[in-house]
Amino acid sequence: MLAKKVVSLSIIVPTLNEEEHIVAFLQSLRDQSMNEFETFVVDGGSRDKTPDFIDQWDVKGVILPGAGEFESRNLGAKMAEGSLLLFTCADII
């Protein structure tokens, strides 16, 4: 049985058509020296390739068509396992 990874920080990212930015954002997270965090992407129903990147990277994600930024943040907060929540955007590095 695999031990469950302890998560102290949950990074919550609402997205909508962020294919131009999401890879650089996810790569910047992967490059961090601290790795005790989960990344949770809540996508509002992107019509570009944003949802594909959720599957390609080691992130948790959900697609909620029509969800706005704050609804996405709230859903991410409810699903997060970390004791600390960090809300950010996909175009932030």
Side-chain angles (χ1 to χ4, degrees):
M1 178 180 225
L2 294 173
K4 186 175 179 180
K5 180 179 175 182
V6 175
V7 177
S8 59
L9 174 66
S10 294
I11 300 171
I12 300 163
V13 189
T15 59
L16 183 62
N17 300 322
E18 292 289 349
E19 93 177 278
E20 188 175 317
H21 303 109
I22 192 80
V23 172
F25 170 77
L26 294 171
Q27 185 63 54
S28 73
L29 292 178
R30 184 177 281 176
D31 292 343
Q32 298 303 307
S33 59
M34 184 268 227
N35 64 3
E36 289 85 31
F37 61 85
E38 68 177 349
T39 305
F40 202 97
V41 176
V42 182
D43 188 77
S46 292
R47 295 184 179 195
D48 63 5
K49 295 181 182 177
T50 302
D52 298 338
F53 295 114
I54 295 170
D55 293 334
Q56 293 173 10
W57 290 73
D58 185 23
V59 299
K60 296 177 182 178
V62 65
I63 298 173
L64 188 63
E69 179 180 356
F70 296 105
E71 182 180 5
S72 296
R73 289 175 184 247
N74 289 337
L75 177 63
K78 287 179 185 176
M79 300 180 84
E81 295 180 20
S83 55
L84 297 173
L85 305 178
L86 172 73
F87 299 95
T88 189
C89 299
D91 62 347
I92 302 296
I93 300 177

